Each structure stands twice: as structure tokens, then as C-alpha cells.
Amino acid sequence: VEDIREMNESVNFIASSPGKKRLFILDEVHMLSNAASNAFLKTLEEPPEHIIFILATTEPERVLETIKSRTTQIAFKKISEDEIIKTLKKIGKKEGINLDSEVVKMIANFSDGSLRDSINLYEQTENTFGSKASVNNNKLCRDSGYSFCFKCY
């Protein structure tokens, strides 16, 4: 609640500051308490012209109806596995990471259309296994004399 109050105060302060637009991103907005949501509603009902709010959530059904009714909702689609693979290979080339194509394919599959999740898993795989990562029985493993694997869920 206190964070929302501070944001509301800064929105009003910014109104007198030079500049064209200010952007506020509230991630996981469904986690706002009722008190915080109600505190935010006052600003959302009459937003200053120069302020843009982006409210992000993975659970839109948990966002208060009064907030949803004052916003434009945009549902993002999951990214295809091919696009994730292409992006991970691009990142790998830029960062000097060389993971086997089967490993990259498995990461893309388990990320379920989430680029953020796939990048995190890609980094974890590189940090844990390095270039010796391989796919073994639907698990990511290190090619070595011992078995060290983890399964993605």
C-alpha cells in the first residue's frame, strides 16, 4: 500500500516536471492487496495526461474489476519453439555460449512459450554444465564419467 501511495505522490510531482511522458510499469499487479488496489484506483480514474501505466499480470482474473474496466487489456501469445530456438542461438553467438542443438531444443520445449523462462534455463544450463550439456532420457545432463542431470518441468 505504501509503495502505491508513494507512486501516486510521484505522479503528482512529475506533473510539474519537464518532459513529455512518464511510464510506470506495475508487474504482477494481481498481487496488489485490496487496499493497494483501491489506493491506485484514485490515480487510475483520473490519470494525468503525461502518465502511462502498464499493468502486467499472469493472472488477469485476480485483478479487481474496477481496475480492469479502466484499462485496455492486451493478451500476449506464447512464442513458438522455433522462435525461441532462433533467439537462444542468437544470444549464444553473441555471448560465446555453445550448447548442443538438442539441448537448445529441449530448453525451448520446456519453456512453454516463455522467452524469459527459456533464457533463464539457457543461462542455468550453461552455468551448470557448460558446453558439455547433453540430452539424456528427456533430462539435461553433463557428458562425463558420472551422471549429473536435472529434469525440466
Side-chain angles (χ1 to χ4, degrees):
V1 175
E2 190 59 35
D3 290 339
I4 294 295
R5 285 191 182 122
E6 286 178 22
M7 183 192 69
N8 286 342
E9 289 174 15
S10 69
V11 164
N12 293 328
F13 173 75
I14 292 170
S16 62
S17 301
K20 294 181 182 179
K21 298 277 184 186
R22 292 293 170 108
L23 177 69
F24 287 86
I25 301 173
L26 281 72
D27 194 14
E28 300 297 335
V29 75
H30 65 272
M31 298 296 290
L32 290 176
S33 67
N34 281 340
S37 294
N38 288 327
F40 177 56
L41 270 173
K42 182 171 171 77
T43 301
L44 193 60
E45 286 172 346
E46 297 176 22
E49 234 178 74
H50 64 285
I51 299 295
I52 298 171
F53 292 106
I54 295 179
L55 312 178
T57 184
T58 54
E59 300 178 43
E61 66 279 358
R62 290 184 51 198
V63 178
L64 288 180
E65 284 299 322
T66 49
I67 290 178
K68 287 197 288 190
S69 69
R70 289 162 176 80
T71 59
T72 301
Q73 296 179 41
I74 302 170
F76 292 98
K77 297 178 189 176
K78 292 182 178 184
I79 300 171
S80 72
E81 281 188 33
D82 289 340
E83 192 63 34
I84 290 173
I85 290 168
K86 185 173 135 185
T87 302
L88 292 178
K89 287 181 177 181
K90 186 176 178 181
I91 291 169
K93 186 175 182 180
K94 184 176 180 181
E95 298 295 325
I97 299 171
N98 188 21
L99 294 179
D100 182 76
S101 61
E102 286 299 310
V103 171
V104 175
K105 189 174 180 181
M106 183 177 184
I107 290 169
N109 177 266
F110 280 113
S111 64
D112 192 32
S114 169
L115 187 58
R116 177 178 59 184
D117 290 352
S118 67
I119 291 171
N120 286 337
L121 187 54
Y122 188 77
E123 290 172 343
Q124 289 173 18
T125 302
E126 166 63 19
N127 291 335
T128 304
F129 304 114
S131 62
K132 296 185 182 270
S134 65
V135 175
N136 184 355
N137 291 329
N138 214 26
K139 295 179 182 176
L140 291 173
C141 300
R142 180 179 176 151
D143 289 332
S144 64
Y146 60 92
S147 178
F148 179 61
C149 304
F150 69 92
K151 185 164 182 155
C152 307
Y153 295 98

